[in-house]
Amino acid sequence: MLRAGPMQTLPRTVLAVLPLLLGGGCQGLIGELPPVAQQAPDRRPEDPAAPLLPVESLPAFSPAPLRARQLLRWQYEESVRVLLGDAAAAAVVLPADVPLNGFAAVGASQLAPTPVAVRAWELSAHAAAEAAFAGGLPPGLVPCSPAAADDAACLGAFARSFGRRAFRRPVTDEEVSTWTAVGRAAAQAYGRFDRGVQFVVAGMLQSPAFLYLAEVGEPDGDAGRLRLTRYELAARLSYFLAGIPPPEGLMAAAEAGALDTADGLRAEARRLLALPSAARARAAFFDEWLELGRLDGLSKDPGTYPLYSPALASAMRQETQAFLGDLVARGADFRDFLDAPDTFVNADLARLYGIADVPASGFQKRTYPASTLRGGVLGHAALMAGLAHPRLTSPTRRGRFVRERLLCQPVGAAPPGVNAGMFSAASEAGHVTLRERLAVHLEEPSCAGCHVLMDGIGLGLENYDAVGAFRPDDEGLPIDAVSTLDSLGTFAGSRQLGTLLRNHPRTLDCLVRNLFRVAVGRVETDGEARPLRAALDRFAASGHRLDEVLVELAASDAFRFATKEETP
């Protein structure tokens, strides 16, 4: 817990001013949030591997409504780091984000903050400011030299300069006046100018203008259509690609009109992608997209898997991030993530995978033994362990992951009243394979419609046990891992499955859609299909370089234009 310090003992004359900064407080903003949108209906064709619709049959572009969204926890921390430094960022303690439709960015635009989150914002704002000012006024933070402890002119200049960075836009004269009053009250109470600045910082970090990407747009000329303002576009772009407030160069470009065209956006997007923080943003996407958070606190039966440990789970996550990061850094064909024959391992993972050339230290690139049928991320222990039970594998979980996360084909929930004892009945005749037990799903009409989409895929991965190690048999019974993926052909093991997915017409379309959901904080609409297809086509033309599709999504009409949120 955070300890109460001087920031919490501010005189009431100063505390009374803070609610004014929030326009009635965060609770006022909570009440204005739109209702939670439902997941888009499944438009999966009868053949899940059917080609994409031709572009000419897609509806004309129709922009979607705007909605405000909260900064994600890691974006808040990175923003504080940019504004105030590492010590301030380390003092931030926020609750976990809540995902919707698979991503926290969607939840951030749909869900109102809880009282716990509001309190955490308050405590974190004070703790961050306190850490930043622990040694006095941070060098370079204030653009003037104060003539007195409560120098109104200097406090106003600071409110204007810091507010522009924290709010990602110029602050108004009215805002400067309000924040100056806060700073003067604190400076007079403590007799120190730096304390006034400190309280302005703490207040701004609690303001909706900092906590939210509040996008309202401006008229575009077309009836009912809006375009994001230059500052809104700069913020959306910077948080999408780098997870930080717009750097000064991007703010200057926005002010000069460089973001008014698609080509201008492309140029600024490439500059952002060259920043170190862009790797952090990509890693955050990979974590959510591949559900690597499953590894946090993942438990396995110690009798069955005595070598499993939290350290091994951490290594699994690092492997997947290193593997994907390497593809991006090399500008490789990103489809290699599906069936590459090599990966990055440390000594523990090398032993788990049966790799003889064990790294002496750290993570190094190694090739999988051909006999393990392993390749691509579906061969990573991070996925195979995360999509399994403590002791047993789960073909259903693994198959569902492929359908929903890699192909964007939602699978329905189990129907009410499903017979949970079917597995027990199937096992009464004696020891049988999991394939035989799962066959009951296809015999039960209420189950078959969904399980036919999942179980076959997962059974093709049955050679990987519940921690991801290769196994030729299941407790002495031979494993039949030959399976099919829709109409694309048969496979056995993760590498062959990855090759089929590499050629599946919906895999890369799904990747583009998932990236877009993170970019704008909502599920795409039918009216955005054309610009998303254009981004997909340019992705292919680039040799499937991931950074290029990020650039094209940022330059797309779906990223730049919107309509007003409809009110009930």
Side-chain angles (χ1 to χ4, degrees):
M1 295 182 62
L2 295 171
R3 291 185 298 109
M7 297 295 288
Q8 283 74 47
T9 60
L10 185 67
R12 291 184 180 180
T13 53
V14 178
L15 293 174
V17 181
L18 290 177
L20 300 176
L21 311 179
L22 304 179
C26 288
Q27 296 297 329
L29 187 63
I30 291 171
E32 298 171 5
L33 286 175
V36 176
Q38 299 300 311
Q39 183 170 347
D42 179 15
R43 299 181 178 85
R44 184 177 60 243
E46 290 186 8
D47 177 9
L52 299 176
L53 294 173
V55 66
E56 60 269 15
S57 69
L58 298 176
F61 171 57
S62 174
L66 287 169
R67 59 171 69 237
R69 57 184 157 125
Q70 305 165 33
L71 294 184
L72 303 180
R73 178 171 61 176
W74 74 270
Q75 293 173 337
Y76 182 107
E77 292 172 356
E78 291 302 308
S79 298
V80 170
R81 190 185 316 281
V82 167
L83 294 171
L84 299 171
D86 292 342
V92 170
V93 180
L94 297 177
D97 299 313
V98 180
L100 280 180
N101 300 108
F103 293 101
V106 179
S109 72
Q110 306 277 3
L111 302 175
T114 65
V116 171
V118 174
R119 178 61 173 161
W121 284 336
E122 178 187 5
L123 292 175
S124 291
H126 286 295
E130 201 166 327
F133 286 77
L137 197 63
L141 188 65
V142 178
C144 51
S145 297
D150 63 345
D151 186 330
C154 195
L155 283 167
F158 169 73
R160 196 176 294 279
S161 64
F162 186 80
R164 179 176 181 271
R165 297 172 62 211
F167 297 169
R168 287 89 64 177
R169 58 163 175 77
V171 292
T172 66
D173 290 342
E174 182 180 1
E175 288 173 318
V176 170
S177 177
T178 300
W179 290 111
T180 300
V182 171
R184 291 195 73 198
Q188 290 167 359
Y190 288 100
R192 289 168 50 187
F193 179 81
D194 64 318
R195 298 296 275 170
V197 174
Q198 184 176 345
F199 273 90
V200 172
V201 168
M204 284 188 170
L205 295 185
Q206 297 175 66
S207 169
F210 172 75
L211 296 171
Y212 280 80
L213 291 174
E215 299 167 343
V216 297
E218 60 188 9
D220 177 52
D222 289 359
R225 191 166 94 165
L226 302 174
R227 62 172 176 263
L228 271 70
T229 70
R230 293 172 175 179
Y231 295 111
E232 290 168 351
L233 199 52
R236 176 182 277 197
L237 183 70
S238 192
Y239 278 104
F240 170 41
L241 298 180
I244 58 174
E248 183 54 41
L250 179 57
M251 290 288 280
E255 290 165 348
L259 305 186
D260 294 352
T261 66
D263 282 342
L265 271 167
R266 289 186 180 97
E268 294 305 320
R270 290 192 173 97
R271 291 188 181 95
L272 284 169
L273 288 172
L275 298 177
S277 53
R280 173 70 179 87
R282 284 189 294 260
F285 170 74
F286 295 149
D287 241 28
E288 282 202 288
W289 174 46
L290 299 178
E291 300 178 357
L292 300 183
R294 292 176 183 266
L295 296 169
D296 295 335
L298 185 69
S299 64
K300 297 295 175 181
D301 178 55
T304 308
Y305 306 107
L307 298 182
Y308 179 79
S309 67
L312 182 60
S314 176
M316 293 174 182
R317 193 176 202 154
Q318 291 179 65
E319 172 199 5
T320 300
Q321 287 287 2
F323 169 75
L324 295 169
D326 177 67
L327 291 178
V328 175
R330 292 189 291 109
D333 187 327
F334 196 70
R335 295 176 300 172
D336 290 350
F337 89 89
L338 291 161
D339 60 358
D342 44 37
T343 189
F344 287 80
V345 296
N346 65 358
D348 289 340
L349 284 171
R351 285 189 283 268
L352 183 74
Y353 292 152
I355 295 173
D357 185 13
V358 178
S361 63
F363 282 76
Q364 296 180 23
K365 197 170 189 177
R366 293 290 187 271
T367 300
Y368 296 121
S371 60
T372 64
L373 311 175
R374 200 186 297 269
V377 294
L378 289 172
H380 286 195
L383 273 69
M384 293 298 94
L387 296 167
H389 299 293
R391 191 175 71 84
L392 301 175
T393 61
S394 178
T396 300
R397 287 184 182 180
R398 291 171 176 178
R400 183 171 194 145
F401 173 88
V402 171
R403 285 289 178 201
E404 296 192 333
R405 303 304 280 176
L406 301 185
L407 296 174
C408 291
Q409 295 172 341
V411 178
V418 67
N419 180 8
M422 289 189 296
F423 279 167
S424 298
S427 303
E428 286 179 357
H431 183 36
V432 296
T433 65
L434 193 52
R435 180 182 284 273
E436 292 170 314
R437 280 179 280 167
L438 286 175
V440 299
H441 282 153
L442 304 183
E443 297 170 0
E444 175 65 38
S446 63
C447 300
C450 290
H451 281 276
V452 72
L453 297 171
M454 302 181 290
D455 292 356
I457 295 174
L459 287 168
L461 300 170
E462 264 295 274
N463 281 124
Y464 312 113
D465 67 18
V467 295
F470 183 84
R471 58 178 185 169
D473 59 73
D474 180 4
E475 297 183 1
L477 296 177
I479 292 174
D480 176 10
V482 178
S483 194
T484 60
L485 177 64
D486 302 330
S487 59
L488 298 181
T490 61
F491 71 94
S494 62
R495 188 173 185 190
Q496 290 182 5
L497 173 58
T499 299
L500 292 182
L501 287 168
R502 184 184 186 113
N503 297 312
H504 197 294
R506 300 187 177 268
T507 303
L508 295 181
D509 177 67
C510 182
L511 173 62
V512 170
R513 289 173 182 273
N514 283 330
L515 288 166
F516 183 73
R517 292 170 187 179
V518 169
V520 300
R522 57 174 172 77
V523 175
E524 68 284 353
T525 65
D526 287 348
E528 294 169 317
R530 283 203 179 212
L532 294 186
R533 177 66 63 81
L536 177 61
D537 291 344
R538 287 179 176 265
F539 183 27
S542 75
H544 296 104
R545 295 176 57 213
L546 185 69
D547 276 1
E548 285 305 303
V549 76
L550 296 175
V551 168
E552 292 306 323
L553 284 172
S556 71
D557 285 351
F559 190 87
R560 302 162 58 204
F561 297 102
T563 57
K564 289 183 179 180
E565 179 67 56
E566 295 181 2
T567 55

